[in-house]
Amino acid sequence: MRLELLALRSIQRVLADRRAIGSAKALSLFGEHAAGWLALGAAGAALDRGRRRQWLAATAGVALAHAASIAVKRAVRRPRPAHPDVEVRAATPSTLSFPSAHATSSTAAAVLLGGLAGRHATPVLLSAVVPPMALSRLVLGVHYPSDVLAGAALGAAVGAGVRSAMGLLR
């Protein structure tokens, strides 16, 4: 825990300017309860009539990943960072930290929605969207590094499972 606290404090010090914090807050809002990802999935279903079922299944997979993260949070019951050296810069819907639901749903969305958006969308989302979302949780002081890593792993597992079960990207 001590190493995680040191890492969290270091990240907060390096990314303490208002632009980084503002960006982190915007990402936090987009990812809250997976709402931004669910909206994108619904838009895909509305716009791509030929693959509407796939878009809806992928969007349901994102919701499932979010629900799985909440279930794990309730089972593990790890409290969010609470240390005088950590500045909490955002409100959260609960006091539970592990895993990060934002990292979970963002990774699941990259795998599921990205796969429907285009051949190269998944790697782009996994490399250009998921890391900033995960980092935003640290900048805001609401998660430890292992929370976001576990969340990303859970999201990848749920996304891969749903993708395989539904045959989404044939």
Side-chain angles (χ1 to χ4, degrees):
M1 183 69 92
R2 178 138 173 83
L3 286 177
E4 286 204 282
L5 185 58
L6 289 172
L8 180 56
R9 287 172 33 198
S10 295
I11 288 166
Q12 282 203 315
R13 282 190 192 120
V14 169
L15 296 172
D17 70 77
R18 65 178 178 79
R19 289 173 302 197
I21 294 168
S23 296
K25 286 182 178 183
L27 285 168
S28 181
L29 182 62
F30 178 86
E32 193 65 42
H33 303 296
W37 298 118
L38 298 176
L40 286 176
L47 297 172
D48 186 357
R49 289 184 173 169
R51 296 186 303 161
R52 180 170 286 151
R53 286 183 72 170
Q54 290 93 339
W55 279 101
L56 292 174
T59 304
V62 173
L64 176 66
H66 179 72
S69 71
I70 300 306
V72 173
K73 271 185 200 287
R74 290 183 178 163
V76 173
R77 305 204 63 78
R78 181 184 193 183
R80 292 191 186 270
H83 190 277
D85 292 338
V86 175
E87 184 179 344
V88 177
R89 298 171 173 148
T92 59
S94 84
T95 60
L96 303 177
S97 183
F98 184 92
S100 164
H102 282 72
T104 302
S105 61
S106 295
T107 305
V111 170
L112 294 166
L113 302 179
L116 290 169
R119 198 171 81 157
H120 301 293
T122 296
V124 168
L125 289 172
L126 286 172
S127 62
V129 175
V130 173
M133 179 65 81
L135 185 61
S136 76
R137 310 313 290 154
L138 304 176
V139 169
L140 295 175
V142 296
H143 284 289
Y144 293 102
S146 63
D147 298 339
V148 296
L149 293 173
L154 178 59
V158 171
V162 168
R163 187 173 163 170
S164 175
M166 301 302 291
L168 286 175
L169 305 175
R170 290 183 203 179

